[in-house]
Amino acid sequence: MSVKNDDLHRILIKGGVTSPGELKDGITMLEMAGLSEVFFGSRQDLLFPLSKAEKTALNKNSRYSSHIVSDRSFQNIVCSYVSADIFDMTFWLKGSTYLYLLEQFDFSPKLKINITDPKQRLVPIFNGNLNFIASEQEDYWYLNIFLPHWKKRAYYPVLIYSWDIVQVSNVIEAIYPTIDNVDQLFSILSQNLQTNNRTVSKPLEVPFLTFPYYEGMNRMGLDKFWLGLYWRNNRYDLGFLKDFCGFCLDNSIGKICITPWKSFIVKGIRKESRPDLERFLGQKGINVRHSQLEMNWHLPVDDDAALELKRDLVKHFNENDISTYGLTFGISNDVGKRSHFSSIIIEKNPIPEVIKDFEVKPTFNVLHFKNFDPNSDAYVLYAQEVDKSQLSQVLMELSKKYFAQLYAGKERTEKTHKKVEQELQEVMQCQNCLTIYDAKVGDARSGISPATTFAKLPDDYTCPVCGSEKSHYSMVKLAMGT
């Protein structure tokens, strides 16, 4: 049975960044309430069912800063710290910058605040009320504003200095109900704050990027790794999480990051800790090889019908060999409330009151963002009142439309027009991450010069992507363009 939204309580984890000790403390509290699992929220928080009496008693037992929040008006701060150092990033923006900013927030906002790098796609950029977006000028941010009572978003006319973000957010929080437009807001803030603003030299340009694969063990720099873990049903076992926190503490892993996609990522895993971590995950029976077909979905929390619909659609995609690379999907039960940050939105239409007592098949609306870019502002209605049995076909047609328009209007290179002849070639491929070793190119990152055969690689050679040993490579035949 699904949990009612009113029963859901939260632990707000600023920016989705927590320490193993803090997370373990929160888990201990939830276990004391008799809970065995927790949900991850789309704003990088923890969600769980709890009575008010249990909440009051449990808060007294916290030794850290884990506080249970029942008031739904408070919002968690979202940030893209989780992407720092593992995906492309703005040159000056470091993980430590996010951590410092998060530490400065000494109030609990009721406005949704996003602090993000525009060069990543794991964390939404524009779905907050106050969206601070890194600029190319070091320590300065664009501010994109969409207050709850506004009909359209607007950009603040100057760039915000990193160390002014908290005080600017605090003042806007206090006065926003009376603010009707961005010019009025700028005037009031200029009169009441001493800030180190900078002129906007050019409008923000957010490049179109495909959605990343964020699961499994991956190389981070030369001698460290990051791990992404994902649960299909968003029900995270508290016992496993508690043991995992213990592993992180024992191996000097300082941070655990929750993503908006109901998963979590751990960065900075030392090379010598990797074998123990793989053994730990194996003993727990944890699968880290989910298909990307199922990892690019946003679902309502603890909604069995939405989860079943997703599974059915993913099954049809897989059976028909449909690519959804670069696309994201969201299922919504709130028609018209389009606050998702997925490329494609599947809205479940409500059953009319006059027939709610009868067994009626649900219908769905299918929408997508303009150009399928979640960072655009306009929705496009693709199909209305679609029967569930026809939904997979509509989505498959829509995915093909996405690829057809992906590079429309751009000049095609001569290479695009060439007919690529295919021939089977024997190559060495890593069996963990499927990376191919190309003897013609070598591996400059590992000091391997071109024209070095795989047999001549040193015995301690490791995969440049996932760090697997040479023994994990095997020969396969692949069709290679000539």
Side-chain angles (χ1 to χ4, degrees), residues 256-298:
I256 295 175
C257 310
I258 297 173
T259 83
W261 295 88
K262 285 69 178 293
S263 65
F264 68 92
I265 285 175
V266 178
K267 298 184 287 185
I269 301 167
R270 294 177 301 178
K271 184 177 182 179
E272 53 268 29
S273 297
R274 179 181 174 177
D276 288 340
L277 179 55
E278 291 180 334
R279 188 178 304 111
F280 171 82
L281 296 175
Q283 289 172 343
K284 296 290 184 179
I286 304 302
N287 176 24
V288 289
R289 287 290 180 267
H290 293 94
S291 162
Q292 187 161 2
L293 280 175
E294 58 183 307
M295 292 177 61
N296 52 354
W297 288 78
H298 254 295

mmCIF file of all heavy atoms in Angstrom, residues 256-298:
data_model
loop_
_atom_site.group_PDB
_atom_site.id
_atom_site.type_symbol
_atom_site.label_atom_id
_atom_site.label_comp_id
_atom_site.label_asym_id
_atom_site.label_seq_id
_atom_site.Cartn_x
_atom_site.Cartn_y
_atom_site.Cartn_z
ATOM 1 N N ILE A 256 28.731 11.437 1.340
ATOM 2 C CA ILE A 256 27.777 10.655 0.561
ATOM 3 C C ILE A 256 26.804 11.648 -0.062
ATOM 4 O O ILE A 256 26.308 12.546 0.620
ATOM 5 C CB ILE A 256 27.021 9.640 1.438
ATOM 6 C CG1 ILE A 256 27.990 8.596 1.999
ATOM 7 C CG2 ILE A 256 25.902 8.953 0.649
ATOM 8 C CD1 ILE A 256 27.354 7.622 2.974
ATOM 9 N N CYS A 257 26.543 11.518 -1.349
ATOM 10 C CA CYS A 257 25.721 12.496 -2.073
ATOM 11 C C CYS A 257 24.447 11.851 -2.601
ATOM 12 O O CYS A 257 24.511 10.840 -3.308
ATOM 13 C CB CYS A 257 26.492 13.086 -3.248
ATOM 14 S SG CYS A 257 28.129 13.702 -2.831
ATOM 15 N N ILE A 258 23.325 12.453 -2.288
ATOM 16 C CA ILE A 258 22.037 11.988 -2.823
ATOM 17 C C ILE A 258 21.740 12.767 -4.097
ATOM 18 O O ILE A 258 21.892 13.987 -4.135
ATOM 19 C CB ILE A 258 20.922 12.190 -1.785
ATOM 20 C CG1 ILE A 258 21.205 11.339 -0.546
ATOM 21 C CG2 ILE A 258 19.560 11.842 -2.373
ATOM 22 C CD1 ILE A 258 20.255 11.592 0.590
ATOM 23 N N THR A 259 21.315 12.076 -5.147
ATOM 24 C CA THR A 259 20.996 12.747 -6.407
ATOM 25 C C THR A 259 19.491 12.989 -6.503
ATOM 26 O O THR A 259 18.698 12.314 -5.830
ATOM 27 C CB THR A 259 21.433 11.910 -7.627
ATOM 28 O OG1 THR A 259 20.428 10.919 -7.920
ATOM 29 C CG2 THR A 259 22.761 11.208 -7.379
ATOM 30 N N PRO A 260 19.066 13.931 -7.358
ATOM 31 C CA PRO A 260 17.627 14.141 -7.571
ATOM 32 C C PRO A 260 16.949 12.967 -8.276
ATOM 33 O O PRO A 260 15.724 12.942 -8.385
ATOM 34 C CB PRO A 260 17.578 15.395 -8.449
ATOM 35 C CG PRO A 260 18.888 16.065 -8.235
ATOM 36 C CD PRO A 260 19.864 14.954 -8.049
ATOM 37 N N TRP A 261 17.731 11.993 -8.746
ATOM 38 C CA TRP A 261 17.183 10.850 -9.467
ATOM 39 C C TRP A 261 17.018 9.648 -8.555
ATOM 40 O O TRP A 261 17.034 8.507 -8.990
ATOM 41 C CB TRP A 261 18.050 10.527 -10.682
ATOM 42 C CG TRP A 261 18.014 11.643 -11.657
ATOM 43 C CD1 TRP A 261 18.832 12.741 -11.677
ATOM 44 C CD2 TRP A 261 17.075 11.828 -12.718
ATOM 45 N NE1 TRP A 261 18.465 13.587 -12.688
ATOM 46 C CE2 TRP A 261 17.389 13.055 -13.348
ATOM 47 C CE3 TRP A 261 16.002 11.076 -13.200
ATOM 48 C CZ2 TRP A 261 16.658 13.540 -14.428
ATOM 49 C CZ3 TRP A 261 15.284 11.560 -14.283
ATOM 50 C CH2 TRP A 261 15.608 12.773 -14.883
ATOM 51 N N LYS A 262 16.882 9.923 -7.235
ATOM 52 C CA LYS A 262 16.586 8.891 -6.244
ATOM 53 C C LYS A 262 17.698 7.841 -6.192
ATOM 54 O O LYS A 262 17.453 6.633 -6.146
ATOM 55 C CB LYS A 262 15.237 8.213 -6.547
ATOM 56 C CG LYS A 262 13.997 9.046 -6.192
ATOM 57 C CD LYS A 262 13.792 10.248 -7.066
ATOM 58 C CE LYS A 262 12.546 11.045 -6.750
ATOM 59 N NZ LYS A 262 11.299 10.416 -7.015
ATOM 60 N N SER A 263 18.924 8.289 -6.227
ATOM 61 C CA SER A 263 20.086 7.413 -6.132
ATOM 62 C C SER A 263 21.126 8.116 -5.273
ATOM 63 O O SER A 263 20.892 9.221 -4.798
ATOM 64 C CB SER A 263 20.655 7.130 -7.529
ATOM 65 O OG SER A 263 21.144 8.332 -8.107
ATOM 66 N N PHE A 264 22.273 7.479 -5.061
ATOM 67 C CA PHE A 264 23.327 8.194 -4.365
ATOM 68 C C PHE A 264 24.692 7.867 -4.942
ATOM 69 O O PHE A 264 24.895 6.828 -5.584
ATOM 70 C CB PHE A 264 23.284 7.963 -2.850
ATOM 71 C CG PHE A 264 23.625 6.578 -2.378
ATOM 72 C CD1 PHE A 264 24.930 6.239 -2.039
ATOM 73 C CD2 PHE A 264 22.640 5.610 -2.230
ATOM 74 C CE1 PHE A 264 25.241 4.969 -1.574
ATOM 75 C CE2 PHE A 264 22.938 4.341 -1.769
ATOM 76 C CZ PHE A 264 24.254 4.013 -1.444
ATOM 77 N N ILE A 265 25.613 8.800 -4.733
ATOM 78 C CA ILE A 265 26.959 8.710 -5.287
ATOM 79 C C ILE A 265 27.968 8.956 -4.180
ATOM 80 O O ILE A 265 27.782 9.831 -3.338
ATOM 81 C CB ILE A 265 27.150 9.721 -6.438
ATOM 82 C CG1 ILE A 265 26.432 9.223 -7.709
ATOM 83 C CG2 ILE A 265 28.628 9.988 -6.723
ATOM 84 C CD1 ILE A 265 26.463 10.192 -8.865
ATOM 85 N N VAL A 266 29.029 8.163 -4.188
ATOM 86 C CA VAL A 266 30.135 8.321 -3.236
ATOM 87 C C VAL A 266 31.390 8.586 -4.050
ATOM 88 O O VAL A 266 31.727 7.816 -4.956
ATOM 89 C CB VAL A 266 30.315 7.062 -2.366
ATOM 90 C CG1 VAL A 266 31.499 7.240 -1.428
ATOM 91 C CG2 VAL A 266 29.046 6.788 -1.573
ATOM 92 N N LYS A 267 32.080 9.672 -3.734
ATOM 93 C CA LYS A 267 33.278 10.067 -4.477
ATOM 94 C C LYS A 267 34.525 9.882 -3.608
ATOM 95 O O LYS A 267 34.449 9.820 -2.392
ATOM 96 C CB LYS A 267 33.161 11.527 -4.922
ATOM 97 C CG LYS A 267 31.994 11.797 -5.857
ATOM 98 C CD LYS A 267 31.960 13.231 -6.351
ATOM 99 C CE LYS A 267 31.527 14.214 -5.295
ATOM 100 N NZ LYS A 267 31.389 15.589 -5.827
ATOM 101 N N GLY A 268 35.678 9.845 -4.277
ATOM 102 C CA GLY A 268 36.940 9.812 -3.554
ATOM 103 C C GLY A 268 37.281 8.475 -2.932
ATOM 104 O O GLY A 268 37.945 8.411 -1.896
ATOM 105 N N ILE A 269 36.841 7.369 -3.553
ATOM 106 C CA ILE A 269 37.167 6.037 -3.041
ATOM 107 C C ILE A 269 38.609 5.708 -3.438
ATOM 108 O O ILE A 269 38.954 5.730 -4.615
ATOM 109 C CB ILE A 269 36.204 4.983 -3.628
ATOM 110 C CG1 ILE A 269 34.757 5.333 -3.264
ATOM 111 C CG2 ILE A 269 36.558 3.588 -3.129
ATOM 112 C CD1 ILE A 269 33.726 4.542 -4.045
ATOM 113 N N ARG A 270 39.413 5.424 -2.461
ATOM 114 C CA ARG A 270 40.822 5.138 -2.748
ATOM 115 C C ARG A 270 40.977 3.817 -3.499
ATOM 116 O O ARG A 270 40.185 2.895 -3.335
ATOM 117 C CB ARG A 270 41.617 5.100 -1.445
ATOM 118 C CG ARG A 270 41.695 6.444 -0.722
ATOM 119 C CD ARG A 270 42.424 6.309 0.591
ATOM 120 N NE ARG A 270 41.771 5.340 1.475
ATOM 121 C CZ ARG A 270 42.231 5.006 2.672
ATOM 122 N NH1 ARG A 270 43.356 5.551 3.128
ATOM 123 N NH2 ARG A 270 41.593 4.126 3.417
ATOM 124 N N LYS A 271 42.018 3.743 -4.306
ATOM 125 C CA LYS A 271 42.263 2.560 -5.123
ATOM 126 C C LYS A 271 42.366 1.302 -4.262
ATOM 127 O O LYS A 271 41.816 0.248 -4.607
ATOM 128 C CB LYS A 271 43.550 2.756 -5.930
ATOM 129 C CG LYS A 271 43.861 1.621 -6.890
ATOM 130 C CD LYS A 271 45.111 1.940 -7.705
ATOM 131 C CE LYS A 271 45.401 0.822 -8.702
ATOM 132 N NZ LYS A 271 46.609 1.135 -9.525
ATOM 133 N N GLU A 272 43.025 1.429 -3.102
ATOM 134 C CA GLU A 272 43.216 0.257 -2.249
ATOM 135 C C GLU A 272 41.923 -0.172 -1.553
ATOM 136 O O GLU A 272 41.825 -1.299 -1.047
ATOM 137 C CB GLU A 272 44.304 0.526 -1.200
ATOM 138 C CG GLU A 272 44.097 1.766 -0.374
ATOM 139 C CD GLU A 272 44.770 2.995 -0.958
ATOM 140 O OE1 GLU A 272 44.918 3.066 -2.207
ATOM 141 O OE2 GLU A 272 45.166 3.880 -0.184
ATOM 142 N N SER A 273 40.903 0.727 -1.531
ATOM 143 C CA SER A 273 39.626 0.381 -0.904
ATOM 144 C C SER A 273 38.668 -0.297 -1.869
ATOM 145 O O SER A 273 37.660 -0.876 -1.458
ATOM 146 C CB SER A 273 38.961 1.638 -0.336
ATOM 147 O OG SER A 273 39.736 2.223 0.678
ATOM 148 N N ARG A 274 38.979 -0.205 -3.160
ATOM 149 C CA ARG A 274 38.040 -0.708 -4.156
ATOM 150 C C ARG A 274 37.742 -2.202 -4.022
ATOM 151 O O ARG A 274 36.567 -2.593 -4.059
ATOM 152 C CB ARG A 274 38.553 -0.394 -5.559
ATOM 153 C CG ARG A 274 37.619 -0.918 -6.633
ATOM 154 C CD ARG A 274 38.086 -0.644 -8.028
ATOM 155 N NE ARG A 274 37.208 -1.306 -8.978
ATOM 156 C CZ ARG A 274 37.325 -1.207 -10.296
ATOM 157 N NH1 ARG A 274 38.280 -0.472 -10.812
ATOM 158 N NH2 ARG A 274 36.485 -1.845 -11.082
ATOM 159 N N PRO A 275 38.749 -3.071 -3.873
ATOM 160 C CA PRO A 275 38.425 -4.507 -3.760
ATOM 161 C C PRO A 275 37.492 -4.814 -2.584
ATOM 162 O O PRO A 275 36.562 -5.615 -2.713
ATOM 163 C CB PRO A 275 39.801 -5.157 -3.571
ATOM 164 C CG PRO A 275 40.765 -4.210 -4.193
ATOM 165 C CD PRO A 275 40.216 -2.849 -3.893
ATOM 166 N N ASP A 276 37.743 -4.173 -1.429
ATOM 167 C CA ASP A 276 36.879 -4.397 -0.270
ATOM 168 C C ASP A 276 35.458 -3.902 -0.536
ATOM 169 O O ASP A 276 34.481 -4.524 -0.105
ATOM 170 C CB ASP A 276 37.449 -3.683 0.961
ATOM 171 C CG ASP A 276 38.703 -4.365 1.491
ATOM 172 O OD1 ASP A 276 38.902 -5.548 1.172
ATOM 173 O OD2 ASP A 276 39.483 -3.700 2.203
ATOM 174 N N LEU A 277 35.335 -2.773 -1.241
ATOM 175 C CA LEU A 277 34.011 -2.242 -1.550
ATOM 176 C C LEU A 277 33.267 -3.176 -2.499
ATOM 177 O O LEU A 277 32.066 -3.446 -2.308
ATOM 178 C CB LEU A 277 34.134 -0.848 -2.157
ATOM 179 C CG LEU A 277 32.824 -0.162 -2.567
ATOM 180 C CD1 LEU A 277 31.848 -0.108 -1.391
ATOM 181 C CD2 LEU A 277 33.100 1.241 -3.094
ATOM 182 N N GLU A 278 33.943 -3.684 -3.507
ATOM 183 C CA GLU A 278 33.290 -4.608 -4.438
ATOM 184 C C GLU A 278 32.861 -5.884 -3.719
ATOM 185 O O GLU A 278 31.793 -6.439 -3.989
ATOM 186 C CB GLU A 278 34.234 -4.924 -5.598
ATOM 187 C CG GLU A 278 34.465 -3.733 -6.517
ATOM 188 C CD GLU A 278 35.406 -4.047 -7.660
ATOM 189 O OE1 GLU A 278 36.242 -4.970 -7.492
ATOM 190 O OE2 GLU A 278 35.320 -3.379 -8.703
ATOM 191 N N ARG A 279 33.703 -6.347 -2.788
ATOM 192 C CA ARG A 279 33.358 -7.538 -1.998
ATOM 193 C C ARG A 279 32.137 -7.251 -1.121
ATOM 194 O O ARG A 279 31.207 -8.068 -1.014
ATOM 195 C CB ARG A 279 34.549 -7.938 -1.140
ATOM 196 C CG ARG A 279 34.373 -9.286 -0.422
ATOM 197 C CD ARG A 279 35.615 -9.646 0.380
ATOM 198 N NE ARG A 279 36.816 -9.663 -0.446
ATOM 199 C CZ ARG A 279 37.809 -8.776 -0.351
ATOM 200 N NH1 ARG A 279 37.736 -7.808 0.550
ATOM 201 N NH2 ARG A 279 38.863 -8.866 -1.129
ATOM 202 N N PHE A 280 32.105 -6.065 -0.512
ATOM 203 C CA PHE A 280 30.983 -5.664 0.347
ATOM 204 C C PHE A 280 29.679 -5.637 -0.448
ATOM 205 O O PHE A 280 28.658 -6.182 -0.021
ATOM 206 C CB PHE A 280 31.278 -4.282 0.945
ATOM 207 C CG PHE A 280 30.119 -3.652 1.670
ATOM 208 C CD1 PHE A 280 29.831 -3.994 2.988
ATOM 209 C CD2 PHE A 280 29.313 -2.711 1.039
ATOM 210 C CE1 PHE A 280 28.762 -3.409 3.652
ATOM 211 C CE2 PHE A 280 28.244 -2.120 1.701
ATOM 212 C CZ PHE A 280 27.971 -2.473 3.011
ATOM 213 N N LEU A 281 29.705 -5.016 -1.632
ATOM 214 C CA LEU A 281 28.497 -4.928 -2.462
ATOM 215 C C LEU A 281 28.056 -6.313 -2.925
ATOM 216 O O LEU A 281 26.853 -6.612 -2.966
ATOM 217 C CB LEU A 281 28.753 -4.015 -3.660
ATOM 218 C CG LEU A 281 29.048 -2.541 -3.352
ATOM 219 C CD1 LEU A 281 29.394 -1.788 -4.631
ATOM 220 C CD2 LEU A 281 27.854 -1.887 -2.665
ATOM 221 N N GLY A 282 29.017 -7.144 -3.273
ATOM 222 C CA GLY A 282 28.687 -8.500 -3.714
ATOM 223 C C GLY A 282 28.042 -9.320 -2.617
ATOM 224 O O GLY A 282 27.065 -10.040 -2.847
ATOM 225 N N GLN A 283 28.567 -9.206 -1.406
ATOM 226 C CA GLN A 283 27.995 -9.943 -0.281
ATOM 227 C C GLN A 283 26.583 -9.469 0.036
ATOM 228 O O GLN A 283 25.754 -10.241 0.511
ATOM 229 C CB GLN A 283 28.901 -9.782 0.936
ATOM 230 C CG GLN A 283 30.233 -10.521 0.829
ATOM 231 C CD GLN A 283 31.178 -10.196 1.965
ATOM 232 O OE1 GLN A 283 31.009 -9.202 2.679
ATOM 233 N NE2 GLN A 283 32.184 -11.040 2.160
ATOM 234 N N LYS A 284 26.308 -8.191 -0.237
ATOM 235 C CA LYS A 284 24.968 -7.645 0.002
ATOM 236 C C LYS A 284 24.025 -7.901 -1.173
ATOM 237 O O LYS A 284 22.842 -7.559 -1.115
ATOM 238 C CB LYS A 284 25.052 -6.133 0.262
ATOM 239 C CG LYS A 284 25.829 -5.754 1.523
ATOM 240 C CD LYS A 284 25.071 -6.143 2.764
ATOM 241 C CE LYS A 284 25.790 -5.682 4.024
ATOM 242 N NZ LYS A 284 25.052 -6.040 5.266
ATOM 243 N N GLY A 285 24.556 -8.468 -2.257
ATOM 244 C CA GLY A 285 23.725 -8.752 -3.422
ATOM 245 C C GLY A 285 23.290 -7.512 -4.174
ATOM 246 O O GLY A 285 22.211 -7.482 -4.767
ATOM 247 N N ILE A 286 24.135 -6.474 -4.171
ATOM 248 C CA ILE A 286 23.774 -5.200 -4.804
ATOM 249 C C ILE A 286 24.109 -5.237 -6.283
ATOM 250 O O ILE A 286 25.247 -5.510 -6.678
ATOM 251 C CB ILE A 286 24.518 -4.026 -4.133
ATOM 252 C CG1 ILE A 286 24.228 -4.012 -2.623
ATOM 253 C CG2 ILE A 286 24.128 -2.706 -4.774
ATOM 254 C CD1 ILE A 286 22.764 -3.916 -2.268
ATOM 255 N N ASN A 287 23.131 -4.942 -7.125
ATOM 256 C CA ASN A 287 23.297 -4.896 -8.570
ATOM 257 C C ASN A 287 23.747 -3.506 -8.995
ATOM 258 O O ASN A 287 23.108 -2.520 -8.668
ATOM 259 C CB ASN A 287 21.969 -5.250 -9.253
ATOM 260 C CG ASN A 287 22.057 -5.132 -10.767
ATOM 261 O OD1 ASN A 287 23.126 -5.226 -11.353
ATOM 262 N ND2 ASN A 287 20.916 -4.926 -11.409
ATOM 263 N N VAL A 288 24.873 -3.420 -9.696
ATOM 264 C CA VAL A 288 25.333 -2.124 -10.194
ATOM 265 C C VAL A 288 25.427 -2.144 -11.723
ATOM 266 O O VAL A 288 26.277 -1.500 -12.307
ATOM 267 C CB VAL A 288 26.703 -1.732 -9.594
ATOM 268 C CG1 VAL A 288 26.571 -1.389 -8.139
ATOM 269 C CG2 VAL A 288 27.729 -2.842 -9.786
ATOM 270 N N ARG A 289 24.535 -2.864 -12.333
ATOM 271 C CA ARG A 289 24.535 -2.937 -13.793
ATOM 272 C C ARG A 289 23.121 -2.733 -14.346
ATOM 273 O O ARG A 289 22.667 -3.462 -15.210
ATOM 274 C CB ARG A 289 25.101 -4.289 -14.265
ATOM 275 C CG ARG A 289 26.606 -4.418 -14.100
ATOM 276 C CD ARG A 289 27.362 -3.522 -15.078
ATOM 277 N NE ARG A 289 28.801 -3.650 -14.900
ATOM 278 C CZ ARG A 289 29.532 -2.873 -14.121
ATOM 279 N NH1 ARG A 289 28.949 -1.910 -13.419
ATOM 280 N NH2 ARG A 289 30.838 -3.042 -14.033
ATOM 281 N N HIS A 290 22.401 -1.743 -13.831
ATOM 282 C CA HIS A 290 21.089 -1.441 -14.379
ATOM 283 C C HIS A 290 21.227 -0.809 -15.769
ATOM 284 O O HIS A 290 22.188 -0.103 -16.048
ATOM 285 C CB HIS A 290 20.326 -0.469 -13.473
ATOM 286 C CG HIS A 290 19.962 -1.048 -12.139
ATOM 287 N ND1 HIS A 290 20.750 -0.894 -11.022
ATOM 288 C CD2 HIS A 290 18.888 -1.786 -11.740
ATOM 289 C CE1 HIS A 290 20.181 -1.496 -9.995
ATOM 290 N NE2 HIS A 290 19.063 -2.049 -10.401
ATOM 291 N N SER A 291 20.246 -1.052 -16.611
ATOM 292 C CA SER A 291 20.228 -0.444 -17.932
ATOM 293 C C SER A 291 19.907 1.041 -17.812
ATOM 294 O O SER A 291 19.106 1.451 -16.977
ATOM 295 C CB SER A 291 19.157 -1.121 -18.794
ATOM 296 O OG SER A 291 18.830 -0.327 -19.906
ATOM 297 N N GLN A 292 20.531 1.850 -18.672
ATOM 298 C CA GLN A 292 20.206 3.279 -18.658
ATOM 299 C C GLN A 292 18.756 3.516 -19.056
ATOM 300 O O GLN A 292 18.193 4.560 -18.757
ATOM 301 C CB GLN A 292 21.138 4.055 -19.587
ATOM 302 C CG GLN A 292 20.952 5.569 -19.473
ATOM 303 C CD GLN A 292 22.128 6.354 -19.995
ATOM 304 O OE1 GLN A 292 23.085 5.799 -20.491
ATOM 305 N NE2 GLN A 292 22.059 7.669 -19.895
ATOM 306 N N LEU A 293 18.127 2.531 -19.715
ATOM 307 C CA LEU A 293 16.713 2.650 -20.053
ATOM 308 C C LEU A 293 15.851 2.902 -18.821
ATOM 309 O O LEU A 293 14.801 3.516 -18.914
ATOM 310 C CB LEU A 293 16.222 1.373 -20.750
ATOM 311 C CG LEU A 293 16.526 1.205 -22.235
ATOM 312 C CD1 LEU A 293 16.063 -0.162 -22.695
ATOM 313 C CD2 LEU A 293 15.873 2.294 -23.049
ATOM 314 N N GLU A 294 16.269 2.415 -17.663
ATOM 315 C CA GLU A 294 15.431 2.533 -16.476
ATOM 316 C C GLU A 294 15.957 3.538 -15.466
ATOM 317 O O GLU A 294 15.324 3.786 -14.440
ATOM 318 C CB GLU A 294 15.284 1.168 -15.801
ATOM 319 C CG GLU A 294 16.590 0.511 -15.390
ATOM 320 C CD GLU A 294 16.376 -0.865 -14.793
ATOM 321 O OE1 GLU A 294 15.581 -0.980 -13.850
ATOM 322 O OE2 GLU A 294 17.004 -1.827 -15.277
ATOM 323 N N MET A 295 17.098 4.167 -15.737
ATOM 324 C CA MET A 295 17.687 5.077 -14.759
ATOM 325 C C MET A 295 17.399 6.540 -15.057
ATOM 326 O O MET A 295 17.843 7.435 -14.339
ATOM 327 C CB MET A 295 19.204 4.869 -14.705
ATOM 328 C CG MET A 295 19.594 3.524 -14.122
ATOM 329 S SD MET A 295 21.366 3.264 -14.145
ATOM 330 C CE MET A 295 21.917 4.625 -13.122
ATOM 331 N N ASN A 296 16.675 6.818 -16.134
ATOM 332 C CA ASN A 296 16.411 8.203 -16.512
ATOM 333 C C ASN A 296 14.935 8.574 -16.291
ATOM 334 O O ASN A 296 14.334 9.293 -17.073
ATOM 335 C CB ASN A 296 16.795 8.442 -17.980
ATOM 336 C CG ASN A 296 16.157 7.431 -18.921
ATOM 337 O OD1 ASN A 296 15.513 6.489 -18.496
ATOM 338 N ND2 ASN A 296 16.335 7.627 -20.214
ATOM 339 N N TRP A 297 14.368 8.056 -15.184
ATOM 340 C CA TRP A 297 12.948 8.260 -14.876
ATOM 341 C C TRP A 297 12.754 8.968 -13.541
ATOM 342 O O TRP A 297 13.470 8.692 -12.576
ATOM 343 C CB TRP A 297 12.225 6.911 -14.804
ATOM 344 C CG TRP A 297 12.037 6.255 -16.138
ATOM 345 C CD1 TRP A 297 12.967 5.580 -16.856
ATOM 346 C CD2 TRP A 297 10.832 6.213 -16.913
ATOM 347 N NE1 TRP A 297 12.434 5.110 -18.022
ATOM 348 C CE2 TRP A 297 11.119 5.489 -18.088
ATOM 349 C CE3 TRP A 297 9.548 6.715 -16.727
ATOM 350 C CZ2 TRP A 297 10.162 5.266 -19.074
ATOM 351 C CZ3 TRP A 297 8.593 6.481 -17.700
ATOM 352 C CH2 TRP A 297 8.898 5.761 -18.858
ATOM 353 N N HIS A 298 11.763 9.860 -13.502
ATOM 354 C CA HIS A 298 11.309 10.479 -12.253
ATOM 355 C C HIS A 298 9.895 10.001 -11.961
ATOM 356 O O HIS A 298 8.999 10.151 -12.790
ATOM 357 C CB HIS A 298 11.298 12.003 -12.377
ATOM 358 C CG HIS A 298 12.403 12.650 -11.636
ATOM 359 N ND1 HIS A 298 12.517 12.611 -10.265
ATOM 360 C CD2 HIS A 298 13.480 13.349 -12.065
ATOM 361 C CE1 HIS A 298 13.599 13.259 -9.892
ATOM 362 N NE2 HIS A 298 14.213 13.702 -10.964
#
